[in-house]
């Protein structure tokens, strides 16, 4: 009987083991959404034109705002009496920069002096003559190595930097440019924003959620506002830009500097 009882217990255990487990309720697992990169602020300046006090004022304001990423859209030299010092400061700060049309003209002088004399205002020609004459070898090498355009990725979005326009560094983009033209450039560049300079006329235009920005000038205002300007882009899930100003302590009767031993005429500095 003991053996029979053991056989019955063994059979009961086998039946229990073979019994189906409790039903499993399926759980839907949602795919994790990619986390958006945090927004980043970037300062972009342009058209310094040898104006060291103005460049220092702009950089001081950028530093005050706590913005670490800074770019320059070209025309570092020309008109102002500090072409070497402005380039040295940009290099010392590690600020990626572009070659502007006036930078190119200063490098090509005197080979191009006949063309420049024919097409430039006499005082502007004299300023190029002065700039070319005082540029150091280090400044020349710095300018010669600058690119015509720069594509950067900020917070996962592509930003295109140019001097004049995507068409070239002598092309002018003014505030009344059509949205169709801006949209075509943004489409071609596949960029979230394009930033330029050259005209010294700052503006921000929104085109289908993208931006086209002219940063104005960090050295030679020509829009009736004596303050120099720069642009600040906030790049993230949302894109925005603003034009900010800085007051420059520039004295038109600038004290002599290594570059200004042959003083730029006052009327040239005001051009």
């Amino acid at each position: 009987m003991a053996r029979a009882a053991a056989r019955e217990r063994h059979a009961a255990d086998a039946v229990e083991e073979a019994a189906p487990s409790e039903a499993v309720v399926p759980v839907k697992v949602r795919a994790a959404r990619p986390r958006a990169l945090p927004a980043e602020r970037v300062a972009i300046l342009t058209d310094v034109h040898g104006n060291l006090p103005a460049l220092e004022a702009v950089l001081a304001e950028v530093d005050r705002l706590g913005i670490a990423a800074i770019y320059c859209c070209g025309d570092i030299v020309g008109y102002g009496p500090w072409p070497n010092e402005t380039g040295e400061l940009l290099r010392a700060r590690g600020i990626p920069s572009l070659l502007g049309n006036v930078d190119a003209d200063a490098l090509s002088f005197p080979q191009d002096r006949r063309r420049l004399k024919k097409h430039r205002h006499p005082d502007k020609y004299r300023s190029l003559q002065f700039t070319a004459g005082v540029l150091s070898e280090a400044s020349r090498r710095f300018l010669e190595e600058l690119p015509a355009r720069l594509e950067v990725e900020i917070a996962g979005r592509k930003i295109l930097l140019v001097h004049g326009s995507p068409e070239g560094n002598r092309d002018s983009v003014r505030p009344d440019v059509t949205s169709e033209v801006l949209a075509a450039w943004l489409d071609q560049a596949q960029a979230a924003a394009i930033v330029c300079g050259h005209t010294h006329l700052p503006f921000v235009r929104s085109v289908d959620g993208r931006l086209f920005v002219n940063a104005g000038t960090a050295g030679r205002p020509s829009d009736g506002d004596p303050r120099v300007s720069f642009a600040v882009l906030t790049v993230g899930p949302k894109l925005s830009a603003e034009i900010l100003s800085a007051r420059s302590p520039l004295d038109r009767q600038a004290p002599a500097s290594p570059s200004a031993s042959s003083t730029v005429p006052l009327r040239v500095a005001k051009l």
Side-chain angles (χ1 to χ4, degrees):
M1 291 184 64
R3 290 181 179 178
R7 284 196 298 270
E8 289 177 1
R9 285 196 302 272
H10 179 74
D13 292 341
V15 170
E16 185 175 343
E17 289 174 3
S21 61
E22 295 182 2
V24 177
V25 179
V27 177
K28 291 183 179 180
V29 179
R30 295 182 179 179
R33 293 181 179 179
R35 297 180 63 182
L37 294 173
E40 295 183 32
R41 288 198 302 168
V42 179
I44 302 175
L45 58 94
T46 186
D47 293 81
V48 180
H49 287 298
N51 188 338
L52 181 64
L55 176 59
E56 291 173 334
V58 167
L59 293 179
E61 181 64 13
V62 171
D63 291 342
R64 187 189 70 79
L65 294 171
I67 301 174
I70 311 171
Y71 296 88
C72 175
C73 285
D75 270 5
I76 297 162
V77 304
Y79 307 116
W82 296 281
N84 292 316
E85 292 84 349
T86 51
E88 288 167 4
L89 180 54
L90 291 172
R91 293 200 302 275
R93 291 288 298 258
I95 296 173
S97 302
L98 303 181
L99 181 74
N101 63 300
V102 177
D103 300 327
D105 286 344
L107 287 174
S108 67
F109 196 99
Q111 297 94 319
D112 260 359
R113 63 181 179 274
R114 290 184 180 177
R115 177 186 65 84
L116 294 169
K117 191 170 186 177
K118 180 179 179 181
H119 295 287
R120 290 275 187 175
H121 183 283
D123 283 338
K124 290 184 178 181
Y125 174 82
R126 290 186 64 194
S127 82
L128 279 174
Q129 187 177 36
F130 162 79
T131 298
V134 300
L135 276 180
S136 67
E137 284 303 313
S139 294
R140 286 186 170 276
R141 286 194 301 271
F142 169 61
L143 294 176
E144 288 168 351
E145 293 172 358
L146 296 180
R149 56 195 284 153
L150 184 63
E151 295 179 359
V152 295
E153 185 174 308
I154 301 169
R157 308 186 76 174
K158 179 180 173 182
I159 311 297
L160 173 63
L161 307 179
V162 296
H163 177 66
S165 84
E167 303 295 328
N169 68 4
R170 298 183 189 276
D171 196 30
S172 297
V173 185
R174 298 182 180 277
D176 60 355
V177 61
T178 67
S179 296
E180 289 76 14
V181 168
L182 299 182
W185 281 333
L186 287 160
D187 289 343
Q188 185 179 32
Q190 296 184 332
I194 297 176
V195 186
C196 70
H198 186 53
T199 64
H200 304 190
L201 299 174
F203 67 85
V204 176
R205 289 279 296 277
S206 178
V207 183
D208 300 326
R210 299 166 295 175
L211 293 178
F212 195 101
V213 180
N214 189 312
T217 174
R220 188 170 168 257
S222 58
D223 61 350
D225 187 337
R227 296 171 299 174
V228 291
S229 65
F230 62 100
V232 173
L233 267 64
T234 302
V235 185
K238 293 184 178 180
L239 187 65
S240 65
E242 58 183 331
I243 303 295
L244 300 181
S245 299
R247 290 197 174 276
S248 167
L250 176 65
D251 177 2
R252 294 292 187 181
Q253 303 288 350
S257 73
S259 289
S261 56
S262 175
T263 307
V264 177
L266 179 61
R267 63 180 180 275
V268 173
K270 289 182 177 179
L271 285 173

